[in-house]
Amino acid sequence: MWVALSRPRPRGRLSRFARRYPVAVAAAAFLALLGVAALFAPWIAPYDPLANDYLSMFSPPGPKHWLGTDSFGRDILSRLIFGSRTALLVGLSSSVIGATVGAVVGVASAYFGGTVDLVIQRVTDILVSFPLIVLAMAMVAILGSGTANLVAAIALSFAPRAELVVRSSALQVRHTTYVEAARAVGAGPWRIILRHMLPNVMAPYLVMLTAFLGQAILLEASLSFLGLGVAEPTPAWGLMLSGAAVDFVQKAPWMAVFPGLAITLTVLAFNVLGDALRDALDPKLRV
Amino acid sequence: MYARPWARTAGAFALALAVLVAASGTVGNSAPAPQPRRGGSLNFIVSAEPPSFDGHRETTFAVIHPIRPHYNLLVKFDPFNYPKVVPDLAESWTVSEDGLTYTFRIRSGVRFHDGSLLTSRDVKASLDKIIFPPQGVVSARQAMYEMVESVSAPSPNTVVIRLKWPSATFLEKLASPFNWIYKADILERDPRWYERNVMGTGPFRFKEYVRGSHWEGVRFENYWKPGRPYLDGYRALFISSPAAQTAAIKFGQALVEFRGFAPAQRDEVVQFLGDRVTVQESGWLCNLLVVPNNQRKPFDDFRVRRALTLAIDRWGGSRALSQITFMGPVGGVMRPGGPFATPEAELTKLAGFGRDMEAARQEARRLLREAGVPEGFEFTVKNRNVPMPYIPGGVFLVDQWRQIGLNARHVIQETGPYLADLRAGNFDVGVDFTCDFFDDPDVQLAKFVSSDRSPLNYARYTDRLLDGLYRQQSRERNLQRRLQVVRQFERRVLSDRAYQFHLLWWQRIVPHWKRLQGYKVSPSHYLEDLEEVWLSE
Amino acid sequence: MLRYVLARLVLVVPTLWAVATLIFLLVRVIPGDIVELRLVSGGSYVTPEVIQQERGRLGLDKPLWAQYADWIVGLARLDLGTSMWTGAPVSKEIALRLELSLQLAVMATVVAVSLALPLGVWAAVRRGTWADHLVQVFSVAGLATPSFWLGILLLLFLLYAFRWLPPMTFTPLWVNPVANLSQLVWPALAVGYRYSAVATRMTRSAMLEVLREDYVRTAWAKGLAERAVVLRHALRNALLPVVTVIGLEFAFLIGGLVVTEQVFNLNGIGKLFVDAISRRDYTLIQGLMLLVASAYVLVNVLLDLLYARLDPRIRYA
């Protein structure tokens, strides 16, 4: 199905997709906008997101600061714009890494079968029995703080979930004739896994990936809220919601409202897009 | 007696700092002292839970606030007149001419909560546990009593403490609010019994402890001090989130949080409760400290360290940060406003404490150039993930250093890994703190002597001259001369060598319902014991 | 049937053993030292000997395999060990918080179900209409909203609208139901909305599938009233996947409300977990993770049994 999407005459496919899923197109447009904002943040943002300005602490939204300022007098709009970098960076990289690690392990597990499969499945079963946040917290505790470790922690929490889904698809591919044929001509296991099996589980992989994107952003926000994620003064949405935003919520509600809105809208866009993609890619799941 | 109506002493105490601010902005101690009323139960907030129940081994207010009311000390700080030391279980005492022998007369007729009588044997056993802890027993302040040679109990109502060398502030050290007097029989059976159990002579008996929820005490009817305590009981509610704390006070679920609120919390409470609430403020014996790693390049170069401290606008920072954190007063090694405080005129001469930031930052940039540190030099500032006041402090520092062209990266870790890294020297610059119960150079300077002599000094330097000054001031019994040595010490640490330096001291802000009476805020949040507290209405 | 039940239950034991082993490995690689944290973090000095003694007392100086053996042997006797921080039994620490967490999980589930079933059915029956779209947007938005943010907004709303905030301290339901509910309703709403989203989507898709089935069409053809068709025939048969989703979410709710508990100052399992992690209280972290994982395992077993009972096609092998 995925292959079909990237064949020639994509314009026809895409426009049909657009007509079927107008909301998804809107979501994609929003995300594109966000991507542009993240990419060109230094040129778009009206202020330096790190510059403390003690003369305009807690300014309410107004012509000077459209979305107000926070407890350090930093411009919230600028911090939201720069924060989109953190959100997209952490969201994208942890989802891609998590889904990919999960997919490779899942396919390998399906390919090798036997004891390897059994052990991997037992471990996966156990890992998916923890709520995501619990697993992610344990991972952060093990790996330590910092953005790179945060990405790793979230990715590792996702991997078992991706593994489960991809493995079941891979099992169906495993016994198809062309995989058997590849084996017969003496292709090595990793060659078969990478060249023949992985491309054929692309559909569930992509569906997982888009589902993870939203969750990763939420998870990053939750961890940062708990003080386990990105460190101040790095602009990050979850972080902007924690600490001062809660303490000063009565005095300066805009500090809590806008970052939360940014998270919600972005996750919403990813989810809508993901749903549409799942509909289009995986007709079995279509309802 | 030692329990005075607080209005009478409040005026006399003004010199010793404690600023008293009523919510409306008027100071309310002109009214006649109201008659204490007996009865009622006090609900107050404690923002953390006690790790164990044994004051001797712990260092946190989370042990003091809920548990201290179950115990007495030998001597204690006057709750209305800090830092005066007044009798508690010791009725009176004498000090020998050479300052080496302290003889305490123990109050008679004091009963434990189990009904048994207290004798000098119990006092000796408790002090021995603190000063000479047996195998396997942790005593957090053992090092503070290194001058003690022996503790003896020659008669049932006499305790004698002999020192190896005279100490100007031994009595104050003995008044540590953690030095609870336990029962000798119990300690003999199991020296660790008190970690999980409570049994003292204090004004309140232990009722129950529900983890994560509350700690409850009820009045001890056989308490030795007549008419005390006033309260029928108390309930310490464990609430860690600042927003929830504010809410609990606003809606009367608790009347006070004794540690201290951030200004935002205070404002919210005052705005909501109006004249039903009083705000007491005081300088606080705690501060944030900037700790460069003196063994790591380029911070081994004193010019770089000096540039770091020069870049910090403490006076401006004090104005800004005091609105959003409980940091505030600018000070050197001794608490501003305290008896050893450096006068402002002298303080502003120290590097980084001046008021001309333009000049200071130029000087800082010049020093960095001289030391060969390039523009945009990147280093990490290691901090603990405690929201108040460490993280705002770190954010402030990062911003200050950006202004002299340094690119500081804030690294926030959980307390465990943070401590491990600081101790192992695995950091560029760290954010540390100190908190004490008593203004005393022995206590406050101990952190700054050479790293090999002070295990709490994470800055990793050796300076024998500094160690000598520490020793000198500690044994100096003339206050004026001692002060001079302390000044010298301060100049060397903060300015000349800039080994490590203070960011800001803290300001203790305690808003409480006016119903709560008989309480006076002090510079230490370790001194609350509820003996004199009462509720009006 | 009985044999199937027994077999399924017996299988739980090795599963839990594997879970315990994995948890132990996971937890013991967490760096940091509870002894240093306890004794040094307050800013006081403690000699290395004392720290060594304390480590010995907590059993932290033993080789890892011995610590593992201690833990597993304890587990076999249903003993979770003692918390390294408080010294109280782990089971007691957990029991103290479980009441609140269970109640909140139940209340959140009630909120979720009472939103999800009607909305899901409605959307399915009115498929493709504005009602369907509305429900879909409502549920996708639920998945996208951080429930702790929703919680903050809820509190802000209560404060502005009524100058009132829920109590910040927990009162057990049987002591004072009013105080108890007025505290827990709000987090239940914040969390329930989010979890209703999953269930709504599942209800809708399960209903759509069932509505296509022959027997439903037959019922419709027979001229039965719509209400009867939907409720008696379709919903009953669509319920199984919905129950699965709700059951699994319920298992996650017990330990997964970490952030929401923080916002509402709830002394639940989630907060205990945050504390245990930040204190490096290994035994308590192990106990909590085991609890959370076993809740999931047990719910799974119950669901399996339920399936076996409801769906005659599953044979009791």
Side-chain angles (χ1 to χ4, degrees), chain B residues 347-366:
Chain B
L347 190 67
T348 47
K349 288 184 199 144
L350 300 177
F353 288 84
R355 287 186 183 270
D356 184 355
M357 279 320 290
E358 197 73 26
R361 291 207 172 111
Q362 261 170 26
E363 167 78 356
R365 280 178 182 272
R366 187 184 62 80

Side-chain angles (χ1 to χ4, degrees), chain B residues 347-392:
Chain B
L347 190 67
T348 47
K349 288 184 199 144
L350 300 177
F353 288 84
R355 287 186 183 270
D356 184 355
M357 279 320 290
E358 197 73 26
R361 291 207 172 111
Q362 261 170 26
E363 167 78 356
R365 280 178 182 272
R366 187 184 62 80
L367 285 171
L368 287 179
R369 265 197 311 278
E370 259 180 49
V373 174
E375 177 83 20
F377 174 75
E378 193 179 319
F379 64 97
T380 59
V381 184
K382 205 155 267 192
N383 205 346
R384 59 172 83 197
N385 74 339
V386 179
M388 187 59 77
Y390 303 92
I391 291 179

Side-chain angles (χ1 to χ4, degrees), chain C residues 102-230:
Chain C
L102 270 180
Q103 194 195 335
L104 185 55
V106 169
M107 284 174 66
T109 307
V110 169
V111 170
V113 169
S114 43
L115 277 176
L117 285 189
L119 287 181
V121 170
W122 193 41
V125 173
R126 301 267 178 276
R127 187 187 180 190
T129 65
W130 61 269
D132 185 18
H133 288 303
L134 207 68
V135 169
Q136 295 225 45
V137 168
F138 180 75
S139 68
V140 184
L143 276 181
T145 316
S147 37
F148 62 93
W149 182 59
L150 200 59
I152 296 173
L153 294 187
L154 254 173
L155 290 179
L156 199 61
F157 167 74
L158 290 175
L159 194 64
Y160 272 122
F162 305 110
R163 266 179 85 80
W164 180 84
L165 279 181
M168 290 295 143
T169 49
F170 179 66
T171 321
L173 187 64
W174 38 272
V175 173
N176 182 349
V178 177
N180 173 284
L181 292 177
S182 63
Q183 182 188 21
L184 292 186
V185 158
W186 314 104
L189 279 178
V191 172
Y193 171 43
R194 177 177 170 72
Y195 283 98
S196 78
V198 186
T200 306
R201 289 150 71 93
M202 186 48 90
T203 310
R204 179 177 173 277
S205 62
M207 276 299 288
L208 282 179
E209 226 151 85
V210 174
L211 287 175
R212 275 201 294 265
E213 299 270 343
D214 288 340
Y215 63 94
V216 177
R217 294 182 186 203
T218 317
W220 231 306
K222 276 196 304 191
L224 287 179
E226 186 186 357
R227 205 183 161 79
V229 175
V230 170

Side-chain angles (χ1 to χ4, degrees), chain A residues 196-207:
Chain A
H196 300 284
M197 290 177 72
L198 264 184
N200 280 292
V201 294
M202 254 350 213
Y205 172 82
L206 275 178
V207 169

Side-chain angles (χ1 to χ4, degrees), chain B residues 49-52 57-59 134-140 142-143 192 195-196 210-213 237-241 244 247-248 250-251 253 268 271-272 384 414-417 419-420 423 433 435 455-456 458 526, chain C residues 31-33 36-47 50-51 53-54 57 83-88 92-93 96-97 159 163-170 262-265 267 271 274-275 277-280:
Chain B
E49 280 188 71
S52 85
R57 67 172 281 155
E58 305 300 345
T59 54
Q135 203 45 26
V137 170
V138 174
S139 167
Q142 187 181 355
R192 306 182 51 118
E195 287 173 24
R196 303 272 152 254
V210 179
R211 262 185 207 79
S213 172
L237 307 170
F238 299 113
I239 303 179
S240 55
S241 134
K250 282 203 287 202
F251 295 96
Q253 290 156 29
E268 243 181 76
Q271 200 194 350
F272 195 84
R384 59 172 83 197
E414 288 184 88
T415 307
L419 267 179
R423 285 160 72 89
F433 80 105
C435 254
L456 292 175
Y458 302 129
Y526 297 123
Chain C
D33 185 338
E36 292 222 345
L37 262 175
R38 275 199 61 170
L39 300 181
V40 190
S41 64
S44 66
Y45 170 63
V46 176
T47 61
V50 169
I51 289 183
Q53 278 170 17
E54 191 69 5
R57 193 177 65 85
S83 157
M84 289 179 173
W85 186 270
T86 67
K92 205 178 139 198
E93 293 284 349
L96 264 173
R97 277 86 173 181
L159 194 64
R163 266 179 85 80
W164 180 84
L165 279 181
M168 290 295 143
T169 49
F170 179 66
Q262 212 80 5
V263 169
F264 290 92
N265 193 52
N267 180 30
K271 179 164 177 286
V274 175
D275 290 346
I277 289 238
S278 71
R279 290 166 179 164
R280 301 299 189 253

Side-chain angles (χ1 to χ4, degrees), chain B residues 502-518:
Chain B
H502 298 77
L503 173 56
L504 288 172
W505 286 74
W506 300 1
Q507 175 78 3
R508 209 173 157 213
I509 304 170
V510 180
H512 61 82
W513 282 66
K514 278 195 179 145
R515 289 186 57 204
L516 172 74
Q517 307 250 19

Side-chain angles (χ1 to χ4, degrees), chain B residues 288-361:
Chain B
L288 277 199
L289 207 58
V290 181
V291 186
N293 186 344
N294 282 253
Q295 284 180 354
R296 204 175 257 195
K297 275 191 186 322
F299 309 104
D300 56 341
D301 186 333
F302 108 91
R303 289 171 298 190
V304 178
R305 298 194 303 265
R306 201 173 153 104
L308 288 187
T309 187
L310 276 168
I312 302 173
D313 178 7
R314 293 179 170 84
W315 301 98
S318 168
R319 273 193 305 280
L321 292 175
S322 64
Q323 294 175 48
I324 54 170
T325 71
F326 48 58
M327 282 187 284
V330 179
V333 289
M334 299 306 295
R335 180 174 62 88
F340 289 89
T342 311
E344 203 178 301
E346 222 174 303
L347 190 67
T348 47
K349 288 184 199 144
L350 300 177
F353 288 84
R355 287 186 183 270
D356 184 355
M357 279 320 290
E358 197 73 26
R361 291 207 172 111

